[in-house]
Amino acid sequence: MAVIGIKPEVVGGPAYYVPAYLQAAGYEIIPVPVYYPDVTEILGAPVQRSLRTVTPPADLVLLFRRSSDVAPHVEDILAAAPRVVWMQQGIHDAAAAETLARAGIDVVQDKCAMIEHRNAQR
């Protein structure tokens, strides 16, 4: 699972603790931060600066970006061709979702991956 917009632990917030939860639940997290150029590792994994450098490509891309900042990632997401793109709670972009869906990528918008995972475990 590649996490675009992940934050380092010292910054915290949902863009850190949701991927940390998912990692503890057994998912491999590939950090793709947008900021923090000096950070080389998050959650014990080496930082990637683009989806294009993730090998093998991630099956799922989890987005922690403002809705208005989703569109610039669409080209890289299409090139990576994940099976699923998940936009975290509060994040949605209908045009990006439509473009990704037309390429055969499943899209989830405005849902927290941690909450959905917890609910599925009940």
Side-chain angles (χ1 to χ4, degrees), residues 3-7 32-37 48-49 64-65 73:
V3 184
I4 297 176
I6 192 170
K7 294 182 178 174
V32 186
V34 175
Y35 305 110
Y36 317 105
Q48 301 296 314
R49 294 296 166 187
F64 279 93
R65 301 290 287 139
H73 296 284

Side-chain angles (χ1 to χ4, degrees), residues 67-90:
S67 297
S68 60
D69 293 332
V70 170
H73 296 284
V74 170
E75 185 178 318
D76 280 350
I77 293 169
L78 289 170
R83 290 183 308 158
V84 178
V85 170
W86 188 294
M87 298 182 212
Q88 268 301 111
Q89 190 169 15

Side-chain angles (χ1 to χ4, degrees), residues 1 4 7-8 10-11 14-15 18 22-23 48 56 60-61 69 71-73 78-79 83 88 95 101 111:
M1 175 184 312
I4 297 176
K7 294 182 178 174
V10 353
V11 177
V18 171
L22 294 168
Q23 184 182 57
Q48 301 296 314
L60 187 147
V61 172
D69 293 332
H73 296 284
L78 289 170
R83 290 183 308 158
Q88 268 301 111
K111 290 200 181 282

Side-chain angles (χ1 to χ4, degrees), residues 28-33 39-49 54:
E28 178 185 358
I29 301 299
I30 302 161
V32 186
V39 173
T40 59
E41 186 177 283
I42 298 175
L43 294 173
V47 162
Q48 301 296 314
R49 294 296 166 187
V54 174

Side-chain angles (χ1 to χ4, degrees), residues 2 8 21 27-28 34 38 41 48 50-51 63 66 74 76 79 90 95-96 106 112 114:
Y21 166 86
Y27 293 91
E28 178 185 358
V34 175
D38 297 333
E41 186 177 283
Q48 301 296 314
S50 167
L51 281 182
L63 281 169
R66 290 186 175 109
V74 170
D76 280 350
D106 291 333
C112 178
M114 181 176 73

